Amino acid sequence: MERSHAIPTRHGGRALPRSLQWVALLLLCSAYLQGGLVKLFDFAGAVAEMQHFGMAPAAPLAAAVIALELGASAMILSGWRRWLGALALAAFTLAATFLALRFWSAPPDARFMMANAFFEHLGLVGAFLLVAWHDLNRRLNTGAET
């Protein structure tokens, strides 16, 4: 009997092969991996970014953001408490979106691009919520540890 490499579904429907699912998750996490690594290797720049947005204390917050972006991405990609990593990045992205992309108060020439970025980030929040929901649903249906 041939062994399937697809992730089983509850209703016997077709699912993405595991390798394709992992690539999709990598693409979803790519901005957070890139952002976390850039901040890690340019910590002064990460601190300056926190200060730019009025966040204090800047250095500990920059360190926390690095840990969150890299740690939650690793959780999602490894499958260890994937739901928790996805919820963490969803909450972080939602907060950062409302902090950094306030298009409604931007100068008119910046509004269009900021509004686009704002709604793209909301799409990322939705994607992370779906990842969390699917992971929790799979774990509850298979009895796996959550």
Side-chain angles (χ1 to χ4, degrees):
M1 180 175 208
E2 188 176 315
R3 185 171 176 218
S4 171
H5 295 285
I7 297 169
T9 62
R10 182 176 177 193
H11 303 292
R14 292 192 168 234
L16 288 176
R18 286 189 193 275
S19 58
L20 186 56
Q21 181 192 27
W22 191 85
V23 169
L25 292 171
L26 177 62
L27 292 171
L28 182 59
C29 293
S30 64
Y32 303 89
L33 291 167
Q34 181 270 345
L37 290 171
V38 166
K39 289 175 183 76
L40 181 65
F41 292 111
D42 181 13
F43 191 71
V47 171
E49 183 180 32
M50 296 297 132
Q51 291 169 335
H52 170 77
F53 289 110
M55 312 240 354
L61 286 172
V65 167
I66 293 167
L68 175 71
E69 287 182 320
L70 296 178
S73 293
M75 291 169 75
I76 290 168
L77 294 172
S78 71
W80 183 77
R81 305 243 195 262
R82 178 174 284 149
W83 62 272
L84 185 59
L87 288 178
L89 285 180
F92 169 75
T93 303
L94 188 62
T97 298
F98 277 95
L99 176 70
L101 297 171
R102 295 178 290 197
F103 67 91
W104 53 89
S105 62
D109 60 331
R111 258 188 216 140
F112 180 77
M113 292 202 46
M114 285 182 80
N116 280 345
F118 180 91
F119 287 102
E120 287 170 356
H121 282 76
L122 290 184
L124 287 171
V125 171
F128 283 122
L129 292 175
L130 282 172
V131 167
W133 184 83
H134 281 286
D135 190 55
L136 278 173
N137 190 43
R138 182 185 62 81
R139 290 176 184 277
L140 292 172
N141 287 325
T142 62
E145 180 185 327
T146 57

